[in-house]
Amino acid sequence: MHSASLYHSSRALRNRADQLTAEASRHAHDLAIRNEELRSAQELLSAAQQREALDAERHRIARELHDSVTQYVLSAGMIVDVASSELGSRREDADDPDELADIAERLRGARDLTQHAVGQLRSAIYALNRIPERQSPQLPRLLERACQLHSRPGLLVELRLEGSPVALPAGGDQSLATLVGEALFNVASHSGATRAVVRLSYQPQEIRLTIDDDGNGDPAALRTQLSVASAADLDGSHRGLVNMASRAQELGGLFRLRRSRLGGVRTLVEVPIRNEESAWQSRR
């Protein structure tokens, strides 16, 4: 009986050790995912900071060109005009009118050069002060990385793209990619799903993102959790849902949780496409 007791105890300890090992492996994998997401965010942040520094330097140079160089060139042109006028008034009394005429011609050439220089400076100032155009679309590439990152044995993550990609203002692509990463993290950690499909659709008036899974999640329960967490999240739980909803709202979009055709949960995000730069800037 003593041997049997020891045997059952050792089996129980072994089972417990296996459970702890599996849990540690899952936490290690989740940590690796979070670290990769953090690295990606840091890369984009560094690029954004570099762009901000370049923009600041461009504006500084434009200001210096306007306040100093342009003024000097304009002053030189005015001096040339005054000299030409005085030279013309003295031509009749001069001993050599032809020589004065030659000097006047040279002054007119100098005046034309100063006017041309001012035009070039103003063009440069305009170019330096222009709002940079939107960058090439990054969202498809970021979503491809997120899908690869969250794929694991037992969970297949697919990415489907529809329409022609449209570039978003700085931060827009990364914000949506982070949202998708959070949704996939929830699928991998809590739903028991074996398959997830991320669909990115560029439509004429909006960007539509869906994350579908075949897990056991309940969209109605998730909506309730989101509502409660948004109102008073005392223990910090379900912040992922709140953060996803907030990211969609910051871009002027909608965030919904529905039943997926795959059987699990569908996370739906719809973000309007604005042609006017100011419409995006007002939300940032």
Side-chain angles (χ1 to χ4, degrees):
M1 292 181 62
H2 181 66
S3 297
S5 177
L6 290 175
Y7 173 75
H8 289 300
S9 297
S10 63
R11 287 291 300 273
L13 289 173
R14 181 174 180 178
N15 291 337
R16 179 57 178 164
D18 291 340
Q19 292 176 357
L20 292 174
T21 300
E23 184 176 354
S25 298
R26 181 174 63 82
H27 285 309
H29 183 77
D30 293 345
L31 181 60
I33 291 175
R34 293 303 191 189
N35 285 337
E36 178 63 22
E37 291 177 342
L38 178 60
R39 186 188 66 81
S40 177
Q42 287 174 333
E43 289 178 356
L44 291 173
L45 178 60
S46 176
Q49 290 173 337
Q50 291 176 3
R51 289 195 300 271
E52 183 178 359
L54 288 174
D55 288 343
E57 182 64 12
R58 285 173 38 249
H59 290 307
R60 186 192 67 80
I61 294 173
R63 185 176 62 250
E64 292 298 325
L65 287 176
H66 178 273
D67 294 345
S68 59
V69 180
T70 303
Q71 303 305 318
Y72 290 145
V73 176
L74 286 172
S75 297
M78 293 175 61
I79 293 173
V80 170
D81 287 337
V82 171
S84 298
S85 178
E86 292 180 355
L87 191 63
S89 64
R90 298 178 182 178
R91 182 177 303 176
E92 296 179 357
D93 301 331
D95 295 335
D96 190 352
D98 293 336
E99 182 179 358
L100 291 181
D102 181 62
I103 296 173
E105 183 63 28
R106 294 181 183 180
L107 287 174
R108 282 192 292 271
R111 182 190 60 192
D112 292 341
L113 287 175
T114 58
Q115 291 177 346
H116 179 72
V118 170
Q120 293 293 318
L121 284 169
R122 286 174 174 168
S123 297
I125 292 169
Y126 171 76
L128 288 169
N129 278 319
R130 282 185 63 190
I131 297 175
E133 296 181 357
R134 294 178 181 179
Q135 297 180 337
S136 59
Q138 299 184 29
L139 186 55
R141 177 181 59 84
L142 294 174
L143 292 187
E144 182 177 358
R145 178 186 295 181
C147 291
Q148 294 174 348
L149 186 62
H150 290 276
S151 293
R152 63 175 66 179
L155 176 61
L156 174 65
V157 181
E158 306 173 45
L159 174 61
R160 299 178 183 177
L161 303 176
E162 299 174 358
S164 300
V166 177
L168 301 180
D173 288 339
Q174 176 60 33
S175 185
L176 290 177
T178 302
L179 188 155
V180 172
E182 186 67 37
L184 290 176
F185 181 83
N186 290 341
V187 170
S189 300
H190 307 300
S191 71
T194 61
R195 182 186 177 204
V197 178
V198 178
R199 181 178 282 104
L200 170 61
S201 177
Y202 289 95
Q203 301 180 6
Q205 301 298 326
E206 67 181 11
I207 294 175
R208 194 168 189 266
L209 263 172
T210 58
I211 304 96
D212 291 279
D213 68 74
D214 62 354
N216 53 23
D218 182 357
L222 291 176
R223 287 193 295 268
T224 300
Q225 293 171 0
L226 174 60
S227 178
V228 173
S230 299
D233 188 14
L234 300 180
D235 61 356
S237 60
H238 309 304
R239 288 305 309 175
L241 293 174
V242 175
N243 291 341
M244 285 190 284
S246 297
R247 290 183 185 277
Q249 292 170 2
E250 288 171 359
L251 294 174
L254 299 175
F255 177 82
R256 297 187 180 95
L257 296 166
R258 296 176 174 174
R259 176 63 65 187
S260 171
R261 293 181 180 179
L262 298 180
V265 175
R266 162 170 285 193
T267 300
L268 170 64
V269 180
E270 294 174 328
V271 174
I273 296 176
R274 293 285 184 264
N275 293 326
E276 301 83 7
E277 183 75 13
S278 58
W280 283 97
Q281 295 290 345
S282 63
R283 293 192 180 95
R284 291 176 57 191

